[in-house]
Amino acid sequence: ILNVEQSPQSLHVQEGDSTNFTCSFPSSNFYALHWYRWETAKSPEALFVMTLNGDEKKKGRISATLNTKEGYSYLYIKGSQPEDSATYLCAFASGTYKYIFGTGTRLKVLA
Amino acid sequence: DGGITQSPKYLFRKEGQNVTLSCEQNLNHDAMYWYRQDPGQGLRLIYYSQIVNDFQKGDIAEGYSVSREKKESFPLTVTSAQKNPTAFYLCASRGPSGEQYFGPGTRLTVT
C-alpha cells in the first residue's frame, strides 16, 4: 500500500517567520509530486507540479524542492503572512491519472 | 469564469436512501475525479474518469457509483450500501500538467 506522509500535522508561526514542512512518498514508481494550498471555506488550489529529481519551484514567497531518490519534498514559506494560513497538501502520482494525498500540514500564521 | 461546480453545498439524507452529488466543469478537461475526506485523513479517491463513457474505481469505490455521459458532468451516487456515507466530498478535474482543479465540495450527512 502506497503511503504519503506529511509533517508536521500542524504548525503555528509568528508573522514574518520562515517555515518549512515535509512530504514523504514512495521512492519507486515516481511520476509527479503536487503541492496544494487549501484555505478554509475554499477549494484546494494547485501550487506546484514537480516531476524531476532536484526540481525547485518558486511562486512568490513559497518554494518547493524535490528529491525523488529518497522520496521527499520540502515546501518553504519565507516571511509568513496571515494570508498564508491554510492546509498544505501534497499528492504523489505513480502514473498519469491516480494521486495519493497526504493528510496535510495545517499552518496558522499569527499576526 | 471557468471552474468546477458542485451542488448542493450541504446535503442531508436518511439512512437507506441513495443520494446523487452533482459535479460540473467548464474547463474542457477530459479526466474527472471524486474524492472523499474524513477527519484526520487525506483525500481518498472514490472514482475517476479519464474520458467520456469510461470510469475506473479508486481506492474506496464500494457503495458508490458514477456515470460519465458528458464531458462536463461526473455525478456521484452514494448508495445505501455505503456503510459510512457521512463525509465531505470533493470533485476535481485534471489540468494539462496533471494538476487537479477542485470544486467547493459537498458535505453529506446521513442520519
Side-chain angles (χ1 to χ4, degrees), chain A residues 11-51:
Chain A
L11 194 53
H12 286 69
V13 301
Q14 292 292 325
E15 183 176 356
D17 286 351
S18 294
T19 187
N20 66 86
F21 15 97
T22 306
C23 173
S24 301
F25 52 85
S27 54
S28 58
N29 299 320
F30 177 86
Y31 184 80
L33 192 283
H34 297 221
W35 281 101
Y36 295 87
R37 174 169 56 203
W38 194 355
E39 296 177 68
T40 303
K42 293 187 177 180
S43 309
E45 180 184 49
L47 285 172
F48 305 115
V49 178
M50 309 180 81
T51 55

Side-chain angles (χ1 to χ4, degrees), chain A residues 47-85:
Chain A
L47 285 172
F48 305 115
V49 178
M50 309 180 81
T51 55
L52 297 175
N53 185 43
D55 248 356
E56 289 188 29
K57 300 266 182 168
K58 188 174 179 184
K59 185 183 284 191
R61 293 179 291 97
I62 304 178
S63 60
T65 61
L66 179 69
N67 183 325
T68 60
K69 292 187 196 295
E70 295 182 41
Y72 65 84
S73 176
Y74 294 138
L75 190 81
Y76 300 91
I77 303 179
K78 186 177 174 183
S80 303
Q81 298 297 309
E83 58 264 31
D84 296 327
S85 297

